[in-house]
Amino acid sequence: MTQHRTRLFRAVHYAICLAGGLAVAAPALAQDAQAPAEPASEAKTLDTVSVLGSRRSQRSSDTASISPVDVLPMAQATEEGAQFDLAQSLQYAAPSFNSTRQTGADGADLIDSAALRGLGSDQTLVLVNGKRHHTTALVNLFGARNRGNTGTDLNTIPLMAIDSVEILRDGAAAQYGSDAIAGVMNIALKKRKGCEAVAGWGQYSRGDGENWLASGYCGVGLGTDGVLGITLEYQDRGRSDRSEPKGSPRIIGDSKIRNQTLFLNGEKPLTDNATLYFTAGLQNRDASSAAFAREGIGSEDIPSRNSEAMYPNGFVPFIDGDLEDRFGTVGLRWGMGEWQADLSATYGYNELRYDINHTLNASIANLDLLNGGRGVSASSFDAGGFSFRQNTYNFDVSRYYDTVFHGFNAAFGLERRDERYSIFAGEPGSYIDADGVGVGGNAGSQGFPGFQPSDAGSHERDSWAAYVDLEADFSDRLTTGFALRYEDYSDFGDTLTGKLAAGFRATDTLMLRASASTGFRAPSLQQKYFSSTITDFINGEPVDVVIAPNGGTIANAAGLPLLKDETSKNYTLGLTWSPTANTSFTLDAYRINIDDRIVLSGRFDTSDPTIGAILDSLGVGQAQFFVNSVDTKTEGVDLTFNHEAEWGGGKLGTFVALNVNRTKVTGIHAPPALVGREDVLLSERERLFIEQGAPKSKAVVGFDYSRGAWEGDLKVIYFGAQTLGTFTGTAGGVPNARYEAKTSADVSVTYAFSENTKLTVGGANVFDVKPTRQDPNETDNGHVFDSVQFGLNGAAYFVRLWHRF
C-alpha cells in the first residue's frame, strides 16, 4: 500500500510540476500510479506525451510548460473518493473549477454544469482525448450558476473510464477554437490492459439521497499490439429534501438520477507507421426534479393552478427527464516522413425529453368542471424537449525540428464543424388553454408547461477553421509559442484570434511565464433559438415568462439585434518554483476582458411601452431574451503548492491550491430601441448572477498519510463569499442575499487487504456546514438559501470497495 501511495503522490507532484513547467510526462506517471508496471513494449508508448496547451510532437522530461496546466490523475478519486461523479470530484479538487448542483431550477437540476475561473460554463471548452466534446442541448434558465449558458455534461463520462484530467488555465481560442475563453479541459481516457471494479454506497446524514455506484473497467488486447478499454457504470442517486418548515409540500434538494453508461476507448496499429484509434460513449439517464409546490384547498392556487378534486392538499409536480448522450471519435495517426498527421471525425449528440408527472392542466380541469364533471385532467404529460448534434472533422499535421534553434515545433490544421439544434413540441395537453380564457385555470402542465408547436423546429449551421501553431526553444532557458486561428461561421461571419506565450527559466528551479491572447465564443444555437413559456415564482407568486428567440417576433419588436460572437483579451503572468525534488509551487495572475458577452436579459413586463401589448396578447406576464449586451472584466490569481515527506514511518503528502477571482460588469450595450432601460436589460439581480455566480475565492488544503496497509486523507475546502440579488432588490429596501465564506471538510480512511483490494470509509462535509440563511421569498429557488458554494444538503457518509483483477 505504501508503495502504491508513493507512486500516486509522485504522480500528483510531477503533474503540479508540469503545470509549473518543471517536470515530465505526467499522464504517463498518472497511469503508472493506477496500475502495475506495464511491460516494456507497452510502457514505451508513454515516453512521448502531448500536453494540453501545446502541439509539440516531441516533449522531453526537462521541457517546461509555458502555460499553466493542472494534470489531475483520477485514480484516487475513482478508488477512494467521496464523490461518485466527475463534476463533483473536480469541484473538491481544483479551485479554479466550479460545479454546484442546482435545485429548484427546472432542467438545470438534471445536469451539473461546470466552469473555470468564475466565468460561464459555455466559456470553457471540453475535449476528450484531445477532441472537441459536444455541449448539452439544455440552456440554463434558472439557478444561481451559469444562467443563460450551455455547457458540457461532464457526468456523462464515468470516473472509472478516466486516466487523468488536464486543465489549461489560460485563454486558448487561438489554439482550440470557440468556447476556450476561460480555459480548456482535456479528459484523457484509460487505454491499458487489466481489469478493475469499484462498488460504492453513500447517503446524507439526514438519511436521504442514498447513492449507489457499480463501475468496472477491463482492457483487453486487440491482436498482439492493440488495446480496447471497456467501462460499464451504473449509478442510482436518490432524492434528498431540505424543505422548510418540516412537512412542507415543497421538495428541495438533489434530483433523482439513474445513469447507465458504456465507454469504449482503444487503438490498433495498422502498420509500423499508422495507428487507428477510436472512442465511443453512450449514456441513458433517467432524472427527476421536484418543481415548486402548488397549494391545496383554501389557497389562491385553486382553481388557477390546482383542482380540488385532484389534489385537495396540494401537490409537487415532478419534472422527469429522459436524457440520451452519445459521443464517438474515429481517427488515424500516421507518419509522413518527418511529419506526423492526424485525421479524425467526432460525433456528439445530446437529447433531453421531459415528462411532467404528478401534475395537471388546470384549464382542462376547469373546463371539465364547467361541463359538469369533477374537475380533473390528466396527471402526466409529454412536454417535449430538445436535442443538439455536433459533427467535427479535424486534420492536424505537426513536425519537430531538433536542429532549428534549440528545438522548434510547427503545427497546422483544418477543422470543419456541423451543428443542429432541435426543439420538439409536447402533447397538446401540456401547453393548451382548454377553457379559452384562462380565468378558471391556467394553461399547460403545472411545474413545466410543454413546448408549443410555435417553439418547435430545427436549426443548423456550419463552420470552417484553419490554424497554425509554432513553438520554439530559442535557448536552454527561453521558450516561446505563437498561434493564429481563423474561423468562418455560416450564421454570423468570421473571426481571427491569436496567442503569444513565453517561458523563461531564470534558474534551474525557477521559471517565469506569460501569455497574451485574443479569443471568441460563438453564440450557441441553443441561445439563438430556444423558445418556451415557463412558470417562475416571484415572492412566492407564479408568473408565466416567455423566453423569446433571437430574431423572433417579440425580440424584433423590442429592437434586439441578431446575436454575434463574444470576443475576449486574455493576459496571464506567473512563475513556477521547485526548490527540491519533493516540493513545487506555482503562482499565476490573470485578466480576462470579454466584450459583447451574451447574457439572458432582465424581464420586460406588460407595462413595457414597446412590447407590453404583445405580451398581454400572449397571456404572459414577462419576457426575456438572449442578447450581446455586456462587457465584463475578470481578474484573479491561481496558486498551487505540493510537498511530500517521510514522517512517522510513513509518507505524508501536502497539497494546497487557491483561486481568487473577481468579475465586474464594465459596460452595458442597449440597442437603440432600449436606450434608457439599461436597468431592465440587465437588472441588478441578473448582473449579480454574472458577477458572483461562483465564489470569489476557493481553496483546497489536502493531507494524505500512508503507512503500511493504512491510508488517511483529510481535505479542507474553503468557499469564499457570494452576493446574489433579490427579487425586491436594494431599491425596495431588501438587502441583497449575502452568503458568507464557509469551510467544508472531507475525511476518509482506507485499508488495503492486498495490492489488489482496498476498502475506504469516510465522510464529506463532515461538520454539516450550510450556506448562510436567506429570506425564502427573495431567493431564486424559494428556499432559505440557493444552491451556492457547496450546496444545501449537509454532511454525507460513504463506503467504497475497489478490486483489481
Side-chain angles (χ1 to χ4, degrees):
M1 179 66 178
T2 301
Q3 182 180 7
H4 174 82
R5 294 300 306 146
T6 300
R7 291 202 309 269
L8 177 59
F9 189 87
R10 188 171 293 122
V12 176
H13 168 72
Y14 286 137
I16 298 301
C17 290
L18 177 62
L22 297 171
V24 301
L29 289 168
Q31 187 153 326
D32 177 62
Q34 300 175 64
E38 299 281 5
S41 61
E42 296 180 9
K44 185 177 180 180
T45 63
L46 299 174
D47 291 342
T48 300
V49 177
S50 178
V51 177
L52 186 66
S54 172
R55 285 189 166 87
R56 192 163 188 157
S57 59
Q58 300 291 331
R59 181 169 291 280
S60 58
S61 62
D62 63 349
T63 301
S65 170
I66 57 178
S67 295
V69 179
D70 296 326
V71 182
L72 307 176
M74 299 308 293
Q76 186 175 19
T78 301
E79 299 166 12
E80 307 170 13
Q83 287 76 36
F84 288 5
D85 59 57
L86 177 57
Q88 290 301 298
S89 295
L90 295 176
Q91 164 78 344
Y92 292 93
S96 61
F97 177 93
N98 282 283
S99 178
T100 305
R101 190 173 291 158
Q102 298 297 297
T103 181
D106 287 358
D109 291 2
L110 312 180
I111 298 173
D112 294 347
S113 58
L116 295 174
R117 290 183 158 182
L119 292 175
S121 57
D122 52 11
Q123 288 149 345
T124 296
L125 174 62
V126 176
L127 311 175
V128 173
N129 288 341
K131 306 301 180 182
R132 176 181 285 264
H133 194 279
H134 59 282
T135 61
T136 68
L138 174 77
V139 57
N140 295 310
L141 302 176
F142 297 112
R145 190 78 186 98
N146 294 311
R147 296 168 71 89
N149 292 172
T150 53
T152 300
D153 186 356
L154 298 179
N155 293 341
T156 60
I157 307 171
L159 281 172
M160 182 65 79
I162 303 172
D163 188 54
S164 64
V165 176
E166 305 168 4
I167 301 177
L168 171 62
R169 296 177 279 107
D170 198 11
Q175 296 167 290
Y176 299 103
S178 176
D179 306 345
I181 288 178
V184 181
M185 297 176 59
N186 181 47
I187 300 169
L189 302 180
K190 291 177 182 175
K191 189 174 53 184
R192 63 171 182 272
K193 296 178 182 179
C195 299
E196 60 181 315
V198 65
W201 173 87
Q203 182 176 273
Y204 291 115
S205 61
R206 286 161 178 76
D208 59 9
E210 194 171 27
N211 205 346
W212 292 92
L213 175 71
S215 189
Y217 168 86
C218 202
V220 298
L222 292 178
T224 59
D225 49 5
V227 63
L228 168 64
I230 306 170
T231 304
L232 280 169
E233 181 173 281
Y234 175 81
Q235 183 185 8
D236 191 334
R237 186 183 78 201
R239 202 187 307 276
S240 65
D241 185 11
R242 300 294 175 267
S243 58
E244 294 186 5
K246 191 174 182 180
S248 167
R250 182 78 197 278
I251 297 176
I252 189 86
D254 282 353
S255 54
K256 185 178 181 180
I257 296 288
R258 182 180 290 112
N259 290 339
Q260 300 175 77
T261 313
L262 168 67
F263 252 79
L264 307 177
N265 185 51
E267 66 178 21
K268 170 65 176 174
L270 302 179
T271 68
D272 291 340
N273 202 36
T275 298
L276 175 73
Y277 62 90
F278 51 89
T279 302
L282 63 88
Q283 182 184 88
N284 291 336
R285 178 183 305 170
D286 297 320
S288 178
S289 171
F292 276 78
R294 270 56 169 174
E295 301 296 329
I297 295 173
S299 73
E300 294 181 357
D301 282 351
I302 296 178
S304 62
R305 299 179 184 275
N306 191 5
S307 166
E308 180 178 340
M310 294 185 67
Y311 305 107
N313 298 318
F315 68 100
V316 175
F318 291 107
I319 304 172
D320 296 339
D322 181 9
L323 294 92
E324 294 183 2
D325 194 90
R326 308 289 184 259
F327 176 79
T329 295
V330 60
L332 182 69
R333 293 190 300 265
W334 74 96
M336 301 185 299
E338 297 296 323
W339 292 87
Q340 300 297 315
D342 187 332
L343 178 65
S344 66
T346 301
Y347 169 81
Y349 181 79
N350 182 267
E351 178 181 294
L352 171 56
R353 290 183 179 266
Y354 292 104
D355 288 308
I356 316 304
N357 293 298
H358 199 238
T359 184
L360 83 164
N361 182 321
S363 72
I364 295 177
N366 183 64
L367 181 61
D368 181 58
L369 188 64
L370 292 175
N371 291 333
R374 294 176 52 240
V376 299
S377 82
S379 61
S380 64
F381 298 95
D382 173 2
F386 32 69
S387 68
F388 178 68
R389 188 207 69 200
Q390 178 176 279
N391 293 321
T392 308
Y393 309 93
N394 293 97
F395 178 62
D396 304 290
V397 179
S398 66
R399 178 178 177 180
Y400 181 74
Y401 298 84
D402 55 10
T403 59
V404 177
F405 307 121
H406 285 248
F408 175 76
N409 196 83
F412 59 88
L414 300 171
E415 179 179 282
R416 161 82 179 192
R417 194 159 74 249
D418 300 309
E419 298 173 335
R420 170 180 285 192
Y421 174 63
S422 300
I423 297 179
F424 318 117
E427 64 177 287
S430 71
Y431 60 81
I432 61 171
D433 184 355
D435 64 18
V437 293
V439 175
N442 287 78
S445 46
Q446 290 297 302
F448 190 98
F451 291 98
Q452 303 178 23
S454 59
D455 299 321
S458 292
H459 309 276
E460 298 183 359
R461 76 171 172 204
D462 60 74
S463 65
W464 288 90
Y467 75 87
V468 60
D469 195 328
L470 309 175
E471 186 175 328
D473 295 329
F474 287 106
S475 70
D476 292 336
R477 296 192 178 276
L478 178 63
T479 300
T480 62
F482 170 79
L484 192 67
R485 187 182 188 95
Y486 172 81
E487 298 214 18
D488 187 7
Y489 283 75
S490 61
D491 55 348
F492 71 85
D494 58 5
T495 183
L496 182 68
T497 55
K499 181 174 182 178
L500 180 64
F504 178 73
R505 286 169 285 282
T507 69
D508 291 340
T509 61
L510 176 67
M511 185 182 79
L512 308 177
R513 62 188 177 194
S515 68
S517 64
T518 60
F520 81 103
R521 188 187 74 81
S524 68
L525 291 180
Q526 295 90 315
Q527 290 174 322
K528 292 188 67 172
Y529 297 110
F530 181 83
S531 174
S532 180
T533 300
I534 56 182
T535 302
D536 193 12
F537 278 72
I538 301 174
N539 292 323
E541 296 297 323
V543 176
D544 288 335
V545 182
V546 61
I547 308 297
N550 189 252
T553 301
I554 302 177
N556 289 339
L560 297 179
L562 296 178
L563 292 181
K564 60 180 181 178
D565 59 321
E566 304 173 350
T567 59
S568 69
K569 295 182 175 65
N570 294 57
Y571 308 94
T572 300
L573 178 65
L575 62 85
T576 70
W577 183 45
S578 185
T580 71
N582 296 324
T583 306
S584 64
F585 173 86
T586 73
L587 179 66
D588 293 280
Y590 59 91
R591 173 184 288 181
I592 306 170
N593 296 329
I594 305 178
D595 293 336
D596 299 316
R597 187 166 169 177
I598 300 170
V599 299
L600 186 62
S601 74
R603 294 181 176 178
F604 297 81
D605 59 27
T606 53
S607 66
D608 186 86
T610 304
I611 62 172
I614 298 176
L615 299 180
D616 199 39
S617 68
L618 294 173
V620 297
Q622 298 179 341
Q624 289 182 276
F625 315 93
F626 288 98
V627 58
N628 295 88
S629 62
V630 170
D631 298 340
T632 63
K633 178 174 69 175
T634 299
E635 297 175 313
V637 174
D638 290 317
L639 177 149
T640 68
F641 170 80
N642 196 60
H643 180 68
E644 180 186 20
E646 303 277 348
W647 188 75
K651 296 284 187 180
L652 175 64
T654 303
F655 174 75
V656 179
L658 168 70
N659 171 261
V660 179
N661 71 82
R662 181 183 66 180
T663 296
K664 301 293 288 184
V665 173
T666 58
I668 302 175
H669 308 298
L674 298 178
V675 170
R677 281 181 284 163
E678 287 82 359
D679 59 336
V680 179
L681 186 64
L682 186 72
S683 64
E684 180 183 36
R685 185 167 173 270
E686 296 297 332
R687 175 182 61 80
L688 287 170
F689 280 129
I690 295 171
E691 294 183 342
Q692 303 204 34
K696 290 184 177 180
S697 57
K698 183 180 168 188
V700 178
V701 180
F703 301 95
D704 179 281
Y705 183 71
S706 60
R707 182 178 179 180
W710 292 93
E711 175 194 350
D713 286 278
L714 170 63
K715 186 186 298 180
V716 179
I717 310 100
Y718 170 86
F719 295 87
Q722 290 178 255
T723 299
L724 298 182
T726 56
F727 289 106
T728 308
T730 53
V734 176
N736 285 319
R738 170 73 175 178
Y739 291 91
E740 302 295 338
K742 300 284 184 173
T743 301
S744 174
D746 296 350
V747 179
S748 67
V749 176
T750 299
Y751 180 76
F753 297 96
S754 69
E755 288 190 356
N756 295 324
T757 306
K758 59 185 175 181
L759 178 70
T760 302
V761 296
N765 191 10
V766 293
F767 298 117
D768 200 30
V769 181
K770 303 281 185 57
T772 306
R773 292 178 67 90
Q774 309 293 334
D775 179 354
N777 291 319
E778 296 290 349
T779 60
D780 197 54
N781 61 13
H783 187 49
V784 292
F785 32 72
D786 280 304
S787 299
V788 298
Q789 297 168 324
F790 43 83
L792 47 76
N793 284 290
Y797 306 100
F798 74 97
V799 179
R800 275 184 187 259
L801 177 65
W802 172 83
H803 181 70
R804 181 170 54 208
F805 300 93

